Short mmCIF file of all heavy atoms in Angstrom, two decimals:
data_model
loop_
_atom_site.label_atom_id
_atom_site.label_comp_id
_atom_site.label_asym_id
_atom_site.label_seq_id
_atom_site.Cartn_x
_atom_site.Cartn_y
_atom_site.Cartn_z
N LYS F 178 46.76 -91.85 -30.28
CA LYS F 178 47.67 -92.99 -30.22
C LYS F 178 46.94 -94.28 -29.86
O LYS F 178 47.44 -95.11 -29.10
CB LYS F 178 48.81 -92.73 -29.23
CG LYS F 178 49.78 -91.64 -29.68
CD LYS F 178 51.01 -91.58 -28.79
CE LYS F 178 52.05 -90.59 -29.35
NZ LYS F 178 53.29 -90.55 -28.54
N GLY F 179 45.74 -94.40 -30.38
CA GLY F 179 44.95 -95.60 -30.15
C GLY F 179 44.20 -95.62 -28.83
O GLY F 179 43.46 -96.57 -28.55
N ILE F 180 44.37 -94.60 -27.99
CA ILE F 180 43.70 -94.52 -26.69
C ILE F 180 42.50 -93.60 -26.82
O ILE F 180 42.61 -92.48 -27.33
CB ILE F 180 44.65 -94.00 -25.60
CG1 ILE F 180 45.97 -94.78 -25.60
CG2 ILE F 180 43.98 -94.04 -24.24
CD1 ILE F 180 45.82 -96.25 -25.32
N SER F 181 41.35 -94.04 -26.34
CA SER F 181 40.12 -93.25 -26.43
C SER F 181 39.96 -92.36 -25.20
O SER F 181 40.13 -92.82 -24.06
CB SER F 181 38.90 -94.18 -26.55
OG SER F 181 38.94 -94.91 -27.76
N PHE F 182 39.63 -91.10 -25.45
CA PHE F 182 39.35 -90.13 -24.40
C PHE F 182 37.95 -89.56 -24.62
O PHE F 182 37.55 -89.29 -25.76
CB PHE F 182 40.37 -88.99 -24.43
CG PHE F 182 41.76 -89.39 -24.05
CD1 PHE F 182 42.64 -89.93 -24.99
CD2 PHE F 182 42.20 -89.24 -22.74
CE1 PHE F 182 43.92 -90.30 -24.64
CE2 PHE F 182 43.50 -89.60 -22.39
CZ PHE F 182 44.36 -90.14 -23.33
N THR F 183 37.23 -89.32 -23.54
CA THR F 183 35.90 -88.74 -23.61
C THR F 183 36.01 -87.22 -23.50
O THR F 183 36.65 -86.70 -22.58
CB THR F 183 35.00 -89.26 -22.47
OG1 THR F 183 34.93 -90.68 -22.56
CG2 THR F 183 33.59 -88.67 -22.59
N VAL F 184 35.39 -86.51 -24.40
CA VAL F 184 35.42 -85.04 -24.40
C VAL F 184 34.48 -84.53 -23.31
O VAL F 184 33.28 -84.83 -23.32
CB VAL F 184 35.00 -84.47 -25.76
CG1 VAL F 184 35.02 -82.94 -25.72
CG2 VAL F 184 35.93 -84.97 -26.86
N ILE F 185 35.03 -83.76 -22.36
CA ILE F 185 34.20 -83.21 -21.27
C ILE F 185 34.13 -81.69 -21.30
O ILE F 185 33.37 -81.09 -20.53
CB ILE F 185 34.73 -83.67 -19.90
CG1 ILE F 185 36.16 -83.16 -19.68
CG2 ILE F 185 34.66 -85.19 -19.77
CD1 ILE F 185 36.68 -83.38 -18.27
N GLY F 186 34.93 -81.05 -22.15
CA GLY F 186 34.90 -79.59 -22.18
C GLY F 186 35.55 -79.02 -23.43
O GLY F 186 36.37 -79.68 -24.07
N ILE F 187 35.13 -77.80 -23.78
CA ILE F 187 35.70 -77.05 -24.90
C ILE F 187 36.24 -75.73 -24.36
O ILE F 187 35.51 -74.96 -23.73
CB ILE F 187 34.65 -76.77 -26.00
CG1 ILE F 187 33.95 -78.06 -26.43
CG2 ILE F 187 35.31 -76.08 -27.19
CD1 ILE F 187 34.87 -79.09 -27.05
N LEU F 188 37.53 -75.47 -24.58
CA LEU F 188 38.15 -74.26 -24.08
C LEU F 188 37.68 -73.02 -24.83
O LEU F 188 37.32 -73.10 -26.01
CB LEU F 188 39.67 -74.37 -24.19
CG LEU F 188 40.33 -75.40 -23.28
CD1 LEU F 188 41.76 -75.65 -23.72
CD2 LEU F 188 40.29 -74.94 -21.83
N GLU F 189 37.68 -71.89 -24.14
CA GLU F 189 37.35 -70.63 -24.80
C GLU F 189 38.39 -70.31 -25.87
O GLU F 189 39.58 -70.60 -25.70
CB GLU F 189 37.29 -69.49 -23.79
CG GLU F 189 36.06 -69.51 -22.91
CD GLU F 189 35.95 -68.25 -22.07
OE1 GLU F 189 36.99 -67.56 -21.91
OE2 GLU F 189 34.86 -67.96 -21.56
N LYS F 190 37.94 -69.68 -26.94
CA LYS F 190 38.82 -69.37 -28.06
C LYS F 190 39.81 -68.29 -27.66
O LYS F 190 39.45 -67.28 -27.06
CB LYS F 190 37.99 -68.91 -29.27
CG LYS F 190 38.81 -68.73 -30.54
CD LYS F 190 37.90 -68.39 -31.71
CE LYS F 190 38.68 -68.20 -32.99
NZ LYS F 190 39.37 -69.45 -33.41
N ARG F 191 41.09 -68.50 -28.05
CA ARG F 191 42.13 -67.51 -27.76
C ARG F 191 42.73 -66.92 -29.01
O ARG F 191 43.34 -65.86 -28.96
CB ARG F 191 43.23 -68.16 -26.92
CG ARG F 191 42.86 -68.28 -25.45
CD ARG F 191 44.09 -68.50 -24.60
NE ARG F 191 43.81 -68.29 -23.21
CZ ARG F 191 44.71 -68.37 -22.24
NH1 ARG F 191 45.97 -68.67 -22.56
NH2 ARG F 191 44.39 -68.17 -21.00
N GLY F 192 42.65 -67.58 -30.14
CA GLY F 192 43.19 -67.03 -31.38
C GLY F 192 44.68 -67.25 -31.50
O GLY F 192 45.28 -68.04 -30.78
N GLN F 193 45.29 -66.50 -32.41
CA GLN F 193 46.70 -66.68 -32.70
C GLN F 193 47.57 -65.97 -31.68
O GLN F 193 47.23 -64.91 -31.16
CB GLN F 193 47.04 -66.16 -34.09
CG GLN F 193 46.50 -67.03 -35.22
CD GLN F 193 47.02 -66.59 -36.56
OE1 GLN F 193 47.49 -65.48 -36.73
NE2 GLN F 193 46.91 -67.47 -37.55
N GLY F 194 48.71 -66.60 -31.40
CA GLY F 194 49.71 -65.98 -30.56
C GLY F 194 50.74 -65.27 -31.41
O GLY F 194 50.64 -65.22 -32.63
N PHE F 195 51.76 -64.70 -30.74
CA PHE F 195 52.81 -64.00 -31.46
C PHE F 195 53.57 -64.99 -32.35
O PHE F 195 53.95 -66.07 -31.93
CB PHE F 195 53.79 -63.36 -30.47
CG PHE F 195 54.84 -62.53 -31.13
CD1 PHE F 195 54.50 -61.33 -31.73
CD2 PHE F 195 56.16 -62.93 -31.14
CE1 PHE F 195 55.46 -60.55 -32.33
CE2 PHE F 195 57.13 -62.16 -31.74
CZ PHE F 195 56.78 -60.96 -32.33
N GLY F 196 53.76 -64.62 -33.60
CA GLY F 196 54.41 -65.53 -34.54
C GLY F 196 53.42 -66.38 -35.32
O GLY F 196 53.83 -67.21 -36.12
N GLY F 197 52.12 -66.17 -35.07
CA GLY F 197 51.12 -66.90 -35.84
C GLY F 197 50.73 -68.24 -35.26
O GLY F 197 49.97 -68.99 -35.89
N GLN F 198 51.23 -68.60 -34.08
CA GLN F 198 50.90 -69.89 -33.48
C GLN F 198 49.43 -69.92 -33.06
O GLN F 198 48.93 -68.99 -32.44
CB GLN F 198 51.79 -70.15 -32.26
CG GLN F 198 51.50 -71.47 -31.57
CD GLN F 198 52.31 -71.64 -30.31
OE1 GLN F 198 53.03 -70.72 -29.92
NE2 GLN F 198 52.22 -72.79 -29.68
N ASP F 199 48.74 -71.01 -33.40
CA ASP F 199 47.33 -71.17 -33.05
C ASP F 199 47.25 -71.72 -31.63
O ASP F 199 47.53 -72.89 -31.38
CB ASP F 199 46.65 -72.11 -34.04
CG ASP F 199 45.13 -72.19 -33.82
OD1 ASP F 199 44.64 -71.57 -32.86
OD2 ASP F 199 44.45 -72.86 -34.61
#
Side-chain angles (χ1 to χ4, degrees):
K178 292 190 174 182
I180 309 299
S181 296
F182 292 85
T183 302
V184 179
I185 62 171
I187 307 298
L188 292 167
E189 286 188 341
K190 187 175 180 63
R191 281 198 166 182
Q193 288 188 342
F195 185 70
Q198 179 185 5
D199 187 356

